[in-house]
Amino acid sequence: MDIQRLISMANQIGDFYESYPNQSHAQHEIAGHLNKFWALPMRKQIAQYVNEQGGTGLHAAVQASIKAHLQL
Amino acid sequence: MDDIKYDKNIDYGTPTSQSTKQVTLTVDDREVTVPEGVSIMHAAAVAGVMVPKLCATDSLEPFGSCRLCLVEIEGRRGYPASCPTPVAEGLKVHTQTPKLADIRRGTMELYISDHPLDCLTCAANGDCELQDMAGAVGLREVRYGYEGENHLKSTKDESNPYFTFDPSKCIVCSRCVRACEETQGTFALTIQGRGFESKVSAGNKNFLDSECVSCGACVQACPTATLIEKTVIEAGTPEHSVTTTCAYCGVGCSFDAEMKGEEVVRMTPSKHGGANHGHSCVKGRFAWGYATHKDRITTPMIRKNISDPWQQVSWDEAISYAANELNRINQTYGKDAIGGITSSRCTNEEVYVTQKLIRAVFSVNNVDTCARVCHSPTGYGLKQTLGESAGTQTFDSVMQSDVIFVIGANPTDGHPVFASQMKRRLREGAKLIIADPREIDLVANSPHIRADYHLKLRPGTNVALISALSHVIVTEGLVQEAFVKERCEWDSFVEWRDFVAKPENAPEALSEALGIDAKTLRDAARLYATGGNAAIYYGLGVTEHSQGSTTVMGIANLAMATGNVGREGVGVNPLRGQNNVQGSCDMGSMPHEFPGYRHVADDATRALFESAWDRPLSKEPGLRIPNMLDQAAEGNFKGLYCVGEDIVQSDPNTQHVTHALEQMECVIVQDLFLNETAMFAHVFFPGASFLEKSGTFTNAERRISPVRRVMTPKNGGLEDWQVTAKLAQALGYPMHYNHASEIMDEIARLTPTFKGVSFKKIDEMGSVQWPCDDENPAGTPIMHIDAFVRGKGKFFITQYVPTTEKVNAKYPLILTTGRILSQYNVGAQTRRTKNVAWHDEDILEIHPHDAEDRGIQEGDWVGIRSRAGDTVLRAKVTERVQVGVVYTTFHHPESGANVITTENSDWATNCPEFKVTAVQITRVNQLSDWQKHYKTFSEAQLAYAGRDLEAAKIELD
């Protein structure tokens, strides 16, 4: 898929959780949402983008969440 | 005593009463016990005594004008009319005495002296109450003659495409006028003139040009041939009747298909329909002619490339070709390259077998449904907060509401039969808050209804609105803390409360973004929180946004905080667009969930289905529709089985959708017509209409209603689930059912909330609302009564995040889209009916100020350009839309409304942001490039299937 599309979708999820007072919980929830609703090829692609290409354009919380909690 | 068993074939004359107090009286020596408040006529009917009547019918309040229903009551003087006279304890009523017979005969003689004596050639012959009453009272002569003044030469009004109005046959009983007022709530009809001059009038206009919405309530109520269906005039009276369920909107009205052999003569709303109680709208009542339209494709077709003409083949060849292609794609590209899409126009059973095929045959969860583009945020948001992906109430619950809050829904157009019920409650005095960028009819254009508050917000600011209202409720001490403490997760409430209480969520802070003054916001919030039973009704104006799911959760927060969940009159009510949106989601047509909303990663659930289906299943969520298209555009998704859905017309960014389809190698479309998606298909399986198959639909109130086959499928005899089963078989997966009921039995075995559902139960009860299980064998009208399905209700913080789809100098206006009463969704059905008399093209609504700036006048062709594409429509200059906002519908493919809409979507569900697109509008004098291309392309595609566009046009009289 177009990586820009995945970036903007992931950032939207990050935006929802941005106002949560407990940010460590929010980070669980962001990747939790991806694990639950994104197909594996999409998760693999975004993980690769974060881990191998630096994740430019992704919000910091989203990147951190993907690194820590995304299931592949 | 036992409740009265009402027989739907008996007209009790006047409505029943909700009173729990019982009254016993005697009618013609028969003792009868009825609820206090019913009429003597009603009690008599319960006792089996039919009092002669003309102006009374049990769907309407008593009127007392025809003077036929007179009775004698011992101890009372005179001859009171039995329809407006209430029962009383111990009354002794006589309905047949010599004196009454004289009076009735005299009255009938007067009626008949001004009525044509053409019974034998009259369309209502055999189905006429006037005829029946003449017989019942023993009328043998008319002494007045026909020389004097009469109405026999009155002109017939045939303007409505579906029914005629013949004033010469009118007895001025006012049933039509009262039906228009009480049942429909449109008040289009009146009695004009006095005495002999009295006549029914549609506001001095013909019916088509009047305010009439063609719901059919007047036709249903008319006791003579004055208002009668044109199909009955043509075909004669029906000889048998089968109760089934409408295939249009999410109200899910019950209809009696009145038949002559395998031909439908008319569809009449079923009096005992749980959702509609004998009412209907122009679509369900009249717009079923598409089922026999000559555009129907009834032979399977295949082709190698979409630039090839179609080749008609046998079912076996088509199934085998499709199976070989899917197998080839699976071997070449892998299972991730294959998926299925179902439609909310499918039955539960069809959806179930389709998702089963994809999951079991390919061990992949790439199966989605068109709820993706409408109510997927409802499923997500309500599951998160309340614990179940469904509305909380019955439609009837609205009759107990004190405050009705309509957000992003247009019930009079989208859900007309429920709107009539809502309007009845509003006329009784319930308060009304409307949040909508546009002035929908409920705001001030429905007789005797005026919204207390119209929150005319800017498109895309729903979450800000919910935050502002929540802020008022929290900071002004309007939270029902006892309810929250008992029923909800307190910690989540505290987080939410602290969040909405922040100054940035105050009405004063959000007023500018919303375009609503702070005082109005505060007043509306106070009314919702303190006005008594408050119910929220919402539609796609909530869900089809980048924050659709956030708004749904915000709505649930509001309802929980104010204690408005778990009883009659309150609740969170998603108005589902199509007939089976609820059902198609229930049936597991979501890439992350099995039937019953259980995640595919849940090992126990997956094991259950693996054992029942005898195949290994994937624990990975599959692709959603937009993901499938994105993957296809990149060459990673190649095979699609699309049942009943038309993604090319209904999904956003048409160019992206068609480009994606062009990259696929096997697109299988199963439909009634060569729809827009079929123009990009390689295999066409002709489908069966709702009149040609058995199954169930589940409406917006979780009501599972029967769809019954009344004619042989025109595609050679296959119901749609049978086609899917054949395809599964050809793919090497045995899928054998003898009847759709066996599919429901399997669903019930595997889905706890459906455990008690069966066709037998639906036959017995008429319909049943899930959850239906051992604890609730008769179903569950109201949910979350003692506890939420998830245990404790959970509050979610709902931060307003403005959409990235912003207006700027290049695209200074916001386009928002919606629906109109006479057309349905992509219009594949309604465009092939005479409903085009009301809406034969999509129009762009623009505010006079914006129109003047651009030199645009009513009726001008205007170009609409967004960053996705451009199209051309005719302009309607109206103040219904606000400055800066334009509006259109998407019922006609050549309009290209979705050429404009973008791929932006809801953060949680990928539901497209249909309601907000930044556009520029200019005056133009020719079609857009897309439209020109569409015209050439679609004509070629129709020719490939041997269809002629012009020949297929609906002719109006």
Side-chain angles (χ1 to χ4, degrees), chain B residues 141-190:
Chain B
E141 60 175 342
V142 177
R143 291 165 296 173
Y144 305 105
Y146 286 87
E147 305 304 314
E149 209 176 336
N150 58 46
H151 299 88
L152 302 185
K153 294 212 164 76
S154 308
T155 318
K156 208 165 166 180
D157 177 353
E158 298 184 276
S159 61
N160 183 291
Y162 298 117
F163 61 83
T164 62
F165 171 62
D166 183 353
S168 74
K169 296 191 169 169
C170 178
I171 58 170
V172 202
C173 64
S174 296
R175 271 161 70 162
C176 56
V177 175
R178 289 182 286 142
C180 193
E181 294 177 5
E182 295 174 26
T183 310
Q184 165 57 27
T186 291
F187 295 73
L189 303 180
T190 54

Side-chain angles (χ1 to χ4, degrees), chain A residues 5 12 20 36-37 43, chain B residues 599 620 624 630 797 905:
Chain A
R5 176 112 173 92
Q12 276 185 286
Y20 276 67
K36 207 168 166 187
F37 297 103
R43 298 207 306 275
Chain B
H599 200 275
E620 283 296 336
R624 302 156 168 181
D630 287 346
I797 291 176
S905 67

Side-chain angles (χ1 to χ4, degrees), chain B residues 761 765 767-769 771-773 775-781:
Chain B
K761 177 169 280 179
M765 293 183 58
S767 61
V768 64
Q769 288 171 275
C772 174
D773 48 24
E775 277 178 44
N776 310 286
T780 311

